[in-house]
Amino acid sequence: MPKLNENYLNLKQNYLFSEVGHRVTAYSQANPDKKIIRLGIGDVTRPIGENVIHALHEGVDAQASSETFKGYGPEQGYDFLRNAIVDYYAENGVDIEADEVFVSDGAKSDTGNITDLFAQDNVILIPDPVYPVYVDTNVMNGRNITYINANAENNFLPMPDQNVHADIIYICSPNNPTGAAYNHAQLQEWVDYALANNAIILYDSAYECFITDKSLPRSIFAIDGARKCAIEFCSLSKTAGFTGTRCGYTIVPKDLKFASESGSEMSLNAMWNRRQTTKFNGVSYIVQKGAAAVFSEEGMRQCKENIAYYQENARIIAACLDKKGIRYFGGVNSPYIWFECPKGMESWEFFDYLLEQIQVVGTPGAGFGNNGKYFFRLTAFGSRENTIEAMERFDRLF
């Protein structure tokens, strides 16, 4: 009889968005005449830009000729895409090197898979509330997690406690689910803490493209010392609408070197490269052709048009909450609006209430952690028409 990974018994029965989907499906089947508006899952609705679509077609056409056909590609990503990412960072004032860029099928995969590089007995520091993948992947590995409170009192931007030691620190900014974004000084404090503790920051910047405040850093590597203590994950899912196309990238600086128990030096860049060449066959040439077009001048212009569309949706949601006097966070440098549930309701209770009363779907804050118990998340990724209608229903209800 095989011995199974019994850490799975410590997971919640359903992944958060699976439970949301189950409840919505049950309601829809019982009420087929009701129009349900989904503002819960962070999936985009605008089509991919024309420039990127053209590049994807070029990638497909290349597979039809022996002269241009591509089989197995480099597990780290093609140079044309890695160099385009380097140039994108440079435009935002950050210097990285192409061999520090690892192309993947998305930030979700990499934020989970990166745990392969670390021993089981590390001290893991994770904010609460938080994107569930950070927690669940470490529970699957049997690691003990220390939580740091993100709450309304600290604007859902917790700062390090100098009396607490951590080896691995998860930071997402702009944050999922709360929409809060760290400023330069706050991230500097986290980097200084990591350096003092000889720790690693796992920095999820999947929503950096929504930052409109130019004073806010769009990369952890804009912070002094970060190259010695941070790995950054990013994705084209929200930047370019690649939720179904799947492409992201992870930056692992070559400066990240630590001593093993025997005293030999270990490079996280080399380790991640070894991990990827062993367990990953790379992103398809076709998708990488499209991804490279994202970073062209025209590709980025078209992406920004879609982002502006979602930002206007966020403004519409926030305006309704302002009208009702409901406290909220995010919605400015983020596509997420995180607000207090009215009438003192808990978040799953409020989820059912919205679904039953006005057929609007959001995400219960409790699914992101204990500190989300009385909060709720709406996304700006719906259509303009649905966003307006959802807020009109919300306005009438409250």
Side-chain angles (χ1 to χ4, degrees), residues 331-343:
V332 178
N333 298 294
S334 166
Y336 297 124
I337 296 88
W338 177 258
F339 64 93
E340 286 185 300
C341 299
K343 302 181 180 181

Side-chain angles (χ1 to χ4, degrees), residues 282-300:
V283 177
S284 78
Y285 172 78
I286 297 167
V287 168
Q288 291 192 61
K289 280 285 289 183
V294 168
F295 298 103
S296 68
E297 182 177 352
E298 180 61 18
M300 191 53 61

Side-chain angles (χ1 to χ4, degrees), residues 31-51:
N31 301 273
D33 59 323
K34 302 288 188 180
K35 177 186 175 182
I36 298 173
I37 298 178
R38 292 172 170 83
L39 299 180
I41 192 169
D43 194 3
V44 297
T45 53
R46 301 283 290 171
I48 292 173
E50 183 179 340
N51 195 64

